Amino acid sequence: MDLFLFYAFAFLAITSALLVVSLKNTARALFLFFIVLFAMAGLYLFALADFVAITQVLVYVGGVLILMIFAFMLSNKELLSDLQDLSGSFITLPNWQSLALSLGFLGLMSYGIWQWDQAYSPAWMEQNIRTGQIILSRDNNINQLGMMFMSRYILPFEIISIFLMMTLIGAAHIARKGDEA
Amino acid sequence: MIPITHFLVVSACIFCIGLYAVISKRNAIMILVGIELMINAAILNLVAFGRYDKADYGGQVFALFAIVLAAAAVAVGLSIILMTYRKYKTINPDQITDLRD
């Protein structure tokens, strides 16, 4: 049952991501991106990361996607369709070239995962499996995460809060309507 | 328990779809969506390996940091896209060529 649900979520995520990149209509692609993010949150649940999953729903679906649709609505109507003029293109590759590149990358990564023998997992994983230090479904993750944020990971936590403040002020500064901007 | 290889394969697929979006789209918002897909694949990997780390919770903690970083990147990126649209009347990165020789 677990495995079936996992495959259902994985199928949902991959097919909607494929649809996101293949649709010509940007608005529809953005709304399909909702479904991808929800399915990814479901996949996090299967790795027993409930707090990360709920944060994904709050931050991505509640914040990032609304922001994207808002910015999309502020731009004009001809952007609804993906532009197809390739003359003088110096960043974007043609479709077949990018398809070949990403398929090659996928093949490379799948080959790497295929070659990775489970018997030779990293030493810390081996040790944690042997001593039973793996997260189980009955563990209280949120409590432990709060402890870790305030004790062991206090420095990255503070750095990231300063960084978040800097980016928010910077974004507001860039996007303001000013004469000198 | 689901084997970790399944998470890795799903994450590789999502990452390559995001890579395709980044290098083939002609719309800055869709390029941003592709970057978000790649970040999500990375977060899935962090979370899948973090299951084996109960002592430190390293995977889940840094997955949360990655989510925050992605949100910050989207905020700055979208404001830059908006300003670019206001100045150039397009968000196709191919047509913004002021720095070109």
Side-chain angles (χ1 to χ4, degrees), chain A residues 2-3 6-7 10 13-14 17-18 20-21 23 26 29-30 33 36-37 40 43-44 46-49 51-52 55-56 59-60 64 67-68 71-72 74-76 79 82-86 88-93 95 98-99 101-102 105-106 109 113 116 118 124-125 128-129 133-135 139 141 144-145 148-149 152-153 156-157 160 163-164 167-168 171 174-177, chain B residues 1-27 29-34 36-37 39-41 43-45 47-76 78-83 85-86 89-97 100:
Chain A
D2 265 10
L3 211 57
F6 177 83
Y7 283 139
I14 292 174
L18 279 174
V20 165
V21 297
L23 280 182
T26 307
L30 279 182
F33 190 53
V36 181
L37 292 178
M40 292 301 281
L43 287 181
Y44 299 161
F46 285 96
L48 302 180
F51 189 67
V52 181
T55 312
Q56 161 102 351
V59 173
Y60 266 104
V64 168
L67 206 63
M68 276 188 174
F72 172 71
L74 282 180
S75 35
N76 70 345
L79 302 175
D82 196 10
L83 312 159
Q84 284 302 319
D85 181 26
L86 268 183
S89 159
F90 78 116
I91 291 177
T92 317
L93 293 176
N95 273 342
S98 33
L99 196 64
L101 257 177
S102 42
F105 207 67
L106 178 64
M109 283 204 285
I113 295 166
W116 180 49
Q118 290 284 335
W124 62 273
M125 260 173 79
N128 283 349
I129 289 170
Q133 284 284 331
I134 58 174
I135 297 174
D139 287 337
N141 276 331
Q144 284 299 315
L145 272 178
M148 282 297 163
F149 268 126
R152 185 183 174 92
Y153 299 106
F157 185 75
I160 215 144
F163 177 80
L164 192 60
T167 52
L168 288 184
I174 292 172
R176 84 197 189 290
K177 258 199 187 111
Chain B
M1 262 170 75
I2 297 152
I4 196 165
T5 327
H6 295 191
F7 285 103
L8 297 184
V9 170
V10 172
S11 142
C13 292
I14 299 281
F15 184 88
C16 288
I17 294 168
L19 183 70
Y20 174 79
V22 169
I23 57 184
S24 78
K25 289 290 177 185
R26 287 160 208 88
N27 184 334
I29 293 180
M30 288 314 286
I31 291 176
L32 213 54
V33 166
E36 292 304 308
L37 281 177
I39 292 176
N40 260 292
I43 294 171
L44 185 60
N45 265 1
V47 160
F49 275 102
R51 190 174 52 172
Y52 296 98
D53 188 14
K54 192 181 180 180
D56 291 344
Y57 274 84
Q60 297 196 12
V61 167
F62 280 91
L64 287 167
F65 286 156
I67 290 178
V68 172
L69 286 181
V74 164
V76 175
L78 279 179
S79 59
I80 290 174
I81 290 173
L82 271 184
M83 284 314 292
Y85 176 70
R86 237 179 253 158
K89 297 294 166 211
T90 179
I91 54 172
N92 183 353
D94 278 336
Q95 291 172 3
I96 301 160
T97 52
R100 200 185 201 175

